[in-house]
Amino acid sequence: MKINRTTQLLAAAVLGVALAGVGAGVAGPAMADDDPENGIEVSVTIEPNTTPGQVSMTVADNGGVSLQEDGSNAAARQFVGTLPTVTVTDSRRPEEIPAGDFWAVVGQAGEFTATSGSAPPIGPQYLGWRPRLLSDSSTGAVEAGEPVSSVISDGSGAPTVGLQGQELLVSTANSADEIGTWQVNADLALRTPADVAAGEYHSTLTLSLFNQS
């Protein structure tokens, strides 16, 4: 099993030419010499590309995700945000992909701990997500993972397990079915008990790319 973890011009030139004092009797430009003996042959030898392709993952530059309260009710306090865009690239050639090869990106959250140190931590089981594939899958072989709800149900019917274990963000069941680049993100929702202690909390959501044949 291989695990890859990777947390992630246009130039323009303007040339101005001004001509002054151009009048009758000024000679025109000299004609180019069409003698084939003055031609220059240009050649190149391109060797086979021997650099093996790979499956890699990058995460868009970000300053973290700040969850904001939205959708709270008598049953739970809810805080929502969006996972930064995750890009998965498979640069392998078809002949490099073993039979049965597949890849997957999973996510797992840590405890939310209060900066004050006095409030009890909020377990990762209270953080859920709803993955969303942002790029088209030409064959349908690449799919976003299923939604996962906080242990306090969001009412969607999604499994109420939170991100305490490794949950699927995006995957393909057979890498040979489709090669390319895909982008995915996820709606995050932290649903806590209504009487959760006030404070500033921090957690780390770890993303991992697995590639296995």
Side-chain angles (χ1 to χ4, degrees):
M1 177 184 292
K2 296 180 291 183
I3 304 177
N4 299 319
R5 299 185 182 180
T6 312
T7 301
Q8 313 208 284
L9 293 167
L10 173 65
V14 178
L15 176 64
V17 179
L19 299 179
V22 177
V26 178
M31 299 299 293
D33 191 341
D34 293 330
D35 188 342
E37 293 185 359
N38 293 330
I40 300 173
E41 180 181 342
V42 179
S43 65
V44 61
T45 299
I46 300 178
E47 300 294 339
N49 185 358
T50 58
T51 303
Q54 62 178 348
V55 184
S56 60
M57 176 188 72
T58 58
V59 180
D61 291 341
N62 66 90
V65 180
S66 178
L67 303 179
Q68 304 297 318
E69 186 160 13
D70 183 21
S72 297
N73 53 34
R77 301 280 297 274
Q78 178 169 283
F79 307 85
V80 300
T82 303
L83 186 74
T85 299
V86 176
T87 301
V88 178
T89 300
D90 189 347
S91 61
R92 296 173 295 177
R93 296 185 294 272
E95 61 271 20
E96 295 177 327
I97 301 177
D101 184 274
F102 67 92
W103 57 260
V105 177
V106 299
Q108 183 174 14
E111 278 190 335
F112 286 81
T113 57
T115 55
S116 66
S118 58
I122 300 170
Q125 67 271 24
Y126 290 99
L127 178 66
W129 69 4
R130 182 175 295 273
R132 180 171 52 248
L133 189 63
L134 304 177
S135 305
D136 290 333
S137 173
S138 60
T139 66
V142 178
E143 296 183 320
E146 296 295 327
V148 172
S149 169
S150 160
V151 289
I152 302 178
S153 176
D154 59 11
S156 67
T160 53
V161 295
L163 296 178
Q164 58 185 331
Q166 291 183 335
E167 297 295 336
L168 189 62
L169 178 67
V170 62
S171 69
T172 183
N174 187 355
S175 302
D177 288 343
E178 190 174 339
I179 302 172
T181 297
W182 306 270
Q183 292 187 319
V184 63
N185 66 8
D187 296 326
L188 302 175
L190 178 69
R191 290 178 58 81
T192 70
D195 61 353
V196 63
E200 180 180 335
Y201 294 79
H202 294 268
S203 173
T204 298
L205 176 55
T206 303
L207 300 177
S208 302
L209 169 64
F210 292 85
N211 177 214
Q212 182 173 335
S213 57

